[in-house]
Amino acid sequence: MRQMNPKTIRTLEFDKIRHRLADHTTFSASHRLALQLEPSTDFNEVARRVAETTEARALLDRHAGHIPLGGAHDVRTEVDDAELHKILLPQQLLDIRDTLRRARTLKRTILKTEIEIPHLTEIAQRIEESRALVDAINSALSDDGEVKDTASEALSRIRRDLRIVHDRLMDRLQGMVNSQRNAPYLQEPLVTQRQGRYVIPLKMEFKGRIPGIVHDTSASGATLFIEPLSAVDLGNDWRELQIEEEREVERILRELSRFVAEQADPIRWTVEALADIDLVFAKAQYAYTLDATPPDLFRVDPTASPKRYSPTEHNPYPRIQSPFIDFKKARHPLLDPETVVPVGVHVGDEFKVLIITGPNTGGKTVTLKTTGLLAMMAQAGLHIPVADGSALTPFASIYADIGDEQSIEQSLSTFSSHMTNIIDILENAGDRSLVLLDEIGAGTDPIEGSALARALLHHLLSRQITALVATHYSELKIFAYNTDNVRNASVEFDVETLSPTYRLTIGLPGRSNALAIAGRLGLHPDIITEARSSLSPSELEVDDMLEEIRVDRAAAEAAREASETAERDSKARVRELEERLAEIEAERRAVINAARQQAELETEDLRNELRSLKRRAIHSEAIEQALGRIEEMEEETEELPPATPPPQPDIEDLTLGDRVWVSSLQREGELTEMTDGEAEVQVGTFRARVPLHDLESRGQPERTVERQAVTVSKPANVKMEVDLRGQTVDEAAVSLDKYLDDAYLAGLPSAHIIHGKGTGALRNYVREALQNHPLVAEYRRGKRNEGGDGVTVVKLASH
């Protein structure tokens, strides 16, 4: 894959974009990837990168803007050490474990999501869970890096013997220091350590009164630290067991390190996949920061139509005959978003060269840099700060000659420096390149510079190179007007405020504002009048005409924007009225159906009363009265409008997997099954059968109509607690989900999740799972009388 010109990357400040992107990564491996990010020149690669960022944004939207990657580390150096038969430290092993666990969680999050994210899924499938290694590290090490007693039978035995011997040794020494007979000889009644041996402090003047081995003396020489002879054997036993413990711990760590070496390649693949995924999420987070959108991508095909067609679902990457850029409301990503003025830039398909004219500091250079930088960002897979509908074809190369690069060391003038750059550009650019030239032909005699600029533009046109050119030369305005495939553009200047507006207008050359500016600054009117008189009438006429055209175009643009705003407001009002009408109709149906049901119930009550009268042989007058009341009720019922069945959604418009709104549950779910008049919907972790008329397509606002009853079977005898102790994380995941479903359907207000303390792995998983669970309103650590940190108390969501 051909790489972008490094000088252009520096000129357009793509390095700053890399650093801002890197700030959104979460661990060192992805941070390095961000700083090494290069714009791609391969169309398929560019399309894949942009699609990955789009998928990451969709996934972040479903997870409240956060996919946790905390706990992941770049452990490839540790893996290399393990392959070299080095013994890894406990903390290094824990870093490997935490990375693999985080990778497993992330993989599940991506693979189990309900939205289509094929590119992220492909990366996630590269993650190797290495569960046996994770379990081995968990079994051997505690979370604080200590080797557990249960790591091996030998270590368990050694530490048990260590405790026994240590207790005996301490009992013997404590007996000696607490003895009234020894009290006069001791500096103080305590047991301490010197050189790894337990000793007692003996006064120098009583040396020999307590037989023992001297291990140290105090700085003053007044105290001897002796190991009593009666404790030497126990001290030797204790020290031997310590050495045996160290050897067993080293053996366990060596075994774990060997296990890591065996899993070296899967661990490396996992770290690389994590870094790739984290980089994609960093791109998505950066897109949020920039309020960016994905550009439409077009594939260059010389045999295709020169006309541009909008992307469709079946043809997401249309083909077009020549490279082009069409950025709508483009904003420079490094400028203050509160003050930056959006520009619209279009070049390539309808014309190959865009010549921008206007005053100094008017925005010509910013326009060139914005165009080149956004093209590079898009080809790096980033979303860019433009309006919807912006598009481009990925370029094979981008070249820029921008700014004053005068070189004192090389004795080059501004003109020579520009010419050196342009010569290099012409040697390397092709018909799929984008060339950005600032102040072309500047730095020398204006007549020669203008002639040279026109010749360079002719050369670019002859080679079909897409170019944006900024200039002060008036002759280039005429050149653009008279030359095919070249278009004028200008940056505006506000004469009243003596400041540029930074707005770019394509189709009109820039006006000369020198005389107007001089007048506003206070130059004597006679001087300005004399200067105007020296200009040819045609120049003055053209200048006035340009101003008239500019005013007319501004008015037309304002009218168009006002029309579009009015149209949007009108459509929004129509939608609002349609929604209100639907609500009113639903309310009307509900009232009528409720009245009809009430009438039917009263009629049935009267019929029951009649049967009762007949059974009790009540005289016929009472029967006749009851029959009369029935007839009255039936007449009232007939006067009601017929029961209006709710509108059935078009089954052909619903497909399995669609997102739907269930009015009676006031929740969103996924359509999993359809039969005549009924549907099954997955809502969170449980399913419910509901009538088809109870469904609304996703995206419609919540209805405030009367809810209809939906029968969901309630599990019987659901306890207020579930005990997950002794289960693996995978087993606990299934048990926890099932219990929360049952507890919610049973109407429990709260529940206790018993996970124990242990290593903390099960507790951490439970609380992480509860954090975003749809059936959980909140959770907390158990109080002391509830089980403390071994229990998590859950408050279930209200029904």
Side-chain angles (χ1 to χ4, degrees):
M1 182 180 69
R2 184 176 180 180
Q3 290 191 335
M4 285 289 176
N5 183 281
K7 186 173 184 179
T8 303
I9 286 178
R10 291 193 303 273
T11 300
L12 297 178
E13 300 180 289
F14 186 72
D15 265 339
K16 291 184 179 179
I17 298 297
R18 288 169 171 160
H19 280 87
R20 294 194 180 188
L21 174 63
D23 289 340
H24 291 280
T25 58
T26 59
F27 76 119
S28 57
S30 52
H31 190 272
R32 280 194 295 274
L33 286 181
L35 295 179
Q36 297 166 0
L37 183 65
E38 291 280 342
S40 175
T41 59
D42 177 74
F43 180 87
N44 292 330
E45 176 73 8
V46 173
R48 181 184 62 79
R49 289 181 177 186
V50 173
E52 286 174 354
T53 306
T54 302
E55 291 176 6
R57 291 183 70 173
L59 191 58
L60 285 172
D61 287 342
R62 292 189 63 87
H63 290 267
H66 179 63
I67 299 289
L69 262 173
H73 306 273
D74 186 358
V75 293
R76 288 174 291 188
T77 300
E78 287 81 351
V79 171
D80 293 341
D81 288 344
E83 286 189 308
L84 294 173
H85 306 293
K86 294 182 180 180
I87 298 177
L88 300 181
L89 298 174
Q91 188 55 53
Q92 292 175 309
L93 291 165
L94 290 177
D95 286 347
I96 292 172
R97 181 204 67 179
D98 291 345
T99 300
L100 293 173
R101 283 167 58 176
R102 177 53 60 194
R104 181 173 64 180
T105 301
L106 180 63
K107 181 178 181 179
R108 290 179 178 178
T109 299
I110 291 174
L111 297 185
K112 290 184 177 181
T113 189
E114 300 172 353
I115 57 177
E116 284 193 27
I117 46 173
H119 297 90
L120 286 180
T121 299
E122 183 180 345
I123 301 175
Q125 287 172 339
R126 289 161 39 199
I127 291 175
E128 298 285 344
E129 297 187 11
S130 301
R131 295 181 61 178
L133 175 58
V134 172
D135 291 343
I137 296 174
N138 272 335
S139 298
L141 301 178
S142 65
D143 286 341
D144 56 5
E146 295 293 328
V147 178
K148 297 179 181 177
D149 294 357
T150 55
S152 72
E153 291 183 5
L155 185 61
S156 178
R157 174 188 57 77
I158 292 168
R159 287 184 172 170
R160 183 177 62 251
D161 292 346
L162 259 174
R163 287 190 289 271
I164 293 171
V165 171
H166 181 269
D167 290 346
R168 289 175 180 172
L169 176 60
M170 294 306 296
D171 287 346
R172 182 163 299 180
L173 291 173
Q174 287 294 343
M176 296 184 71
V177 299
N178 293 331
S179 168
Q180 292 297 324
R181 184 169 62 86
N182 294 330
Y185 310 139
L186 300 178
Q187 198 69 261
E188 52 184 320
L190 61 81
V191 177
T192 185
Q193 276 191 330
R194 288 293 186 275
Q195 301 176 10
R197 308 286 292 196
Y198 281 110
V199 295
I200 59 177
L202 182 70
K203 295 177 182 178
M204 176 63 75
E205 58 267 29
F206 295 111
K207 181 179 180 180
R209 291 296 181 93
I210 300 177
I213 301 170
V214 177
H215 286 285
D216 199 4
T217 60
S218 66
S220 65
T223 304
L224 295 174
F225 294 96
I226 70 165
E227 182 180 12
L229 287 179
S230 60
V232 168
D233 288 342
L234 282 174
N236 289 341
D237 292 343
W238 179 65
R239 183 63 188 143
E240 287 173 4
L241 285 170
Q242 280 185 312
I243 294 171
E244 194 176 348
E245 178 193 30
E246 290 170 1
R247 289 173 178 166
E248 180 62 15
V249 166
E250 181 179 319
R251 186 195 68 78
I252 292 168
L253 295 178
R254 183 183 294 109
E255 283 295 308
L256 290 175
S257 301
R258 182 188 59 77
F259 202 165
V260 169
E262 291 174 357
Q263 295 290 312
D265 286 337
I267 294 172
R268 289 192 188 97
W269 299 335
T270 296
V271 171
E272 290 164 3
L274 276 176
D276 288 341
I277 291 174
D278 191 41
L279 178 62
V280 174
F281 282 126
K283 291 178 180 179
Q285 295 284 9
Y286 190 33
Y288 287 128
T289 301
L290 294 176
D291 190 20
T293 58
D296 295 333
L297 297 176
F298 286 70
R299 190 191 297 269
V300 175
D301 181 354
T303 64
S305 167
K307 184 178 179 181
R308 182 156 32 119
Y309 295 93
S310 298
T312 64
E313 182 179 351
H314 301 293
N315 184 22
Y317 306 118
R319 297 175 183 270
I320 194 167
Q321 200 172 84
S322 60
F324 78 95
I325 279 178
D326 185 9
F327 291 155
K328 305 177 189 299
K329 297 184 178 179
R331 292 169 280 118
H332 196 290
L334 300 177
L335 297 180
D336 184 353
E338 299 297 325
T339 59
V340 65
V341 177
V343 296
V345 181
H346 176 207
V347 65
D349 48 354
E350 297 178 10
F351 49 90
K352 299 300 294 182
V353 176
L354 183 65
I355 298 177
I356 306 173
T357 53
N360 283 330
T361 70
K364 299 190 301 296
T365 302
V366 171
T367 298
L368 296 184
K369 284 190 171 184
T370 301
T371 303
L373 182 56
L374 295 190
M376 278 192 171
M377 289 173 64
Q379 293 185 218
L382 293 162
H383 289 184
I384 55 178
V386 294
D388 289 336
S390 297
L392 79 157
T393 56
F395 290 91
S397 56
I398 300 175
Y399 297 98
D401 177 53
I402 297 175
D404 186 357
E405 298 188 8
Q406 183 172 346
S407 173
I408 297 175
E409 293 84 355
Q410 299 180 23
S411 301
L412 295 177
S413 67
T414 299
F415 176 76
S416 299
S417 177
H418 281 300
M419 281 301 104
T420 301
N421 287 342
I422 290 173
I423 290 169
D424 181 65
I425 290 171
L426 295 179
E427 287 177 352
N428 293 285
D431 60 359
R432 296 194 181 183
S433 298
L434 174 64
V435 174
L436 310 168
L437 301 177
D438 190 23
E439 298 299 347
I440 183 171
T444 187
D445 177 76
I447 296 176
E448 290 187 349
S450 175
L452 182 59
R454 291 196 299 274
L456 286 171
L457 294 178
H458 270 300
H459 183 76
L460 293 173
L461 283 170
S462 67
R463 293 174 57 184
Q464 291 293 297
I465 296 175
T466 305
L468 273 76
V469 177
T471 182
H472 277 95
Y473 292 136
S474 297
E475 292 84 356
L476 294 188
K477 303 177 190 178
I478 301 170
F479 172 82
Y481 183 77
N482 293 325
T483 307
D484 291 338
N485 258 342
V486 184
R487 187 72 57 86
N488 269 310
S490 59
V491 287
E492 298 176 3
F493 189 88
D494 190 334
V495 178
E496 297 299 322
T497 62
L498 298 180
S499 61
T501 65
Y502 301 106
R503 292 187 179 88
L504 181 72
T505 303
I506 295 179
L508 287 179
R511 291 180 60 223
S512 172
N513 295 294
L515 298 182
I517 293 171
R520 291 288 298 171
L521 291 174
L523 187 63
H524 197 281
D526 293 345
I527 299 175
I528 294 174
T529 301
E530 183 176 348
R532 288 182 65 87
S533 65
S534 64
L535 296 173
S536 67
S538 59
E539 289 177 326
L540 294 173
E541 185 178 348
V542 168
D543 210 36
D544 293 340
M545 188 181 301
L546 285 174
E547 178 59 20
E548 291 178 7
I549 294 173
R550 194 181 309 280
V551 171
D552 290 343
R553 175 174 284 198
E557 180 69 17
R560 184 185 64 80
E561 290 184 359
S563 175
E564 290 177 353
T565 301
E567 184 179 358
R568 286 194 300 270
D569 291 345
S570 175
K571 289 180 178 179
R573 182 61 178 159
V574 168
R575 284 196 302 271
E576 182 182 343
L577 291 174
E578 288 175 347
E579 291 164 4
R580 180 58 188 148
L581 183 61
E583 291 175 2
I584 293 172
E585 176 61 20
E587 291 168 359
R588 187 187 70 84
R589 285 201 313 269
V591 169
I592 292 174
N593 291 339
R596 188 175 186 85
Q597 289 172 4
Q598 182 63 30
E600 290 173 352
L601 287 173
E602 292 183 8
T603 301
E604 185 62 28
D605 288 343
L606 288 173
R607 284 200 175 98
N608 291 335
E609 184 180 344
L610 175 60
R611 293 189 190 99
S612 176
L613 289 172
K614 285 183 175 179
R615 281 195 303 271
R616 290 186 293 175
I618 303 299
H619 52 80
S620 59
E621 184 178 352
I623 295 176
E624 298 229 342
Q625 288 177 354
L627 289 173
R629 288 172 61 191
I630 290 175
E631 290 175 0
E632 290 176 4
M633 289 301 306
E634 287 178 342
E635 288 175 2
E636 291 176 3
T637 301
E638 288 173 1
E639 291 176 1
L640 289 172
T644 312
Q648 298 284 334
D650 191 345
I651 296 179
E652 294 181 356
D653 292 339
L654 292 175
T655 57
L656 298 183
D658 281 354
R659 303 294 300 173
V660 293
W661 176 260
V662 185
S663 298
S664 58
L665 298 180
Q666 290 293 289
R667 290 198 175 213
E668 185 178 283
E670 180 181 337
L671 185 62
T672 57
E673 184 181 335
M674 282 193 302
T675 57
D676 292 339
E678 281 193 335
E680 183 177 86
V681 180
Q682 180 84 29
V683 181
T685 55
F686 67 91
R687 297 190 177 190
R689 295 199 68 84
V690 296
L692 272 177
H693 64 72
D694 204 25
L695 302 182
E696 299 172 11
S697 62
R698 183 187 178 189
Q700 295 183 356
E702 295 184 7
R703 305 299 191 193
T704 56
V705 300
E706 182 178 336
R707 295 188 180 184
Q708 300 179 23
V710 176
T711 302
V712 180
S713 61
K714 293 187 177 182
N717 302 323
V718 180
K719 296 182 179 180
M720 292 290 290
E721 65 182 33
V722 60
D723 192 344
L724 305 179
R725 289 175 296 181
Q727 299 186 22
T728 65
V729 170
D730 290 341
E731 292 168 345
V734 175
S735 301
L736 179 62
D737 274 347
K738 183 178 185 305
Y739 176 74
L740 290 174
D741 288 348
D742 292 346
Y744 178 84
L745 293 176
L748 297 185
S750 62
H752 289 61
I753 312 299
I754 304 173
H755 41 65
K757 298 178 182 177
T759 65
L762 189 56
R763 176 192 64 219
N764 293 340
Y765 166 76
V766 167
R767 293 179 181 172
E768 187 174 300
L770 295 175
Q771 188 169 6
N772 295 313
H773 200 288
L775 301 181
V776 175
E778 59 184 57
Y779 66 90
R780 61 173 173 83
R781 175 182 179 274
K783 297 178 182 177
R784 180 175 298 179
N785 62 344
E786 294 172 326
D789 211 28
V791 172
T792 297
V793 181
V794 174
K795 179 180 178 183
L796 295 169
S798 58
H799 289 259

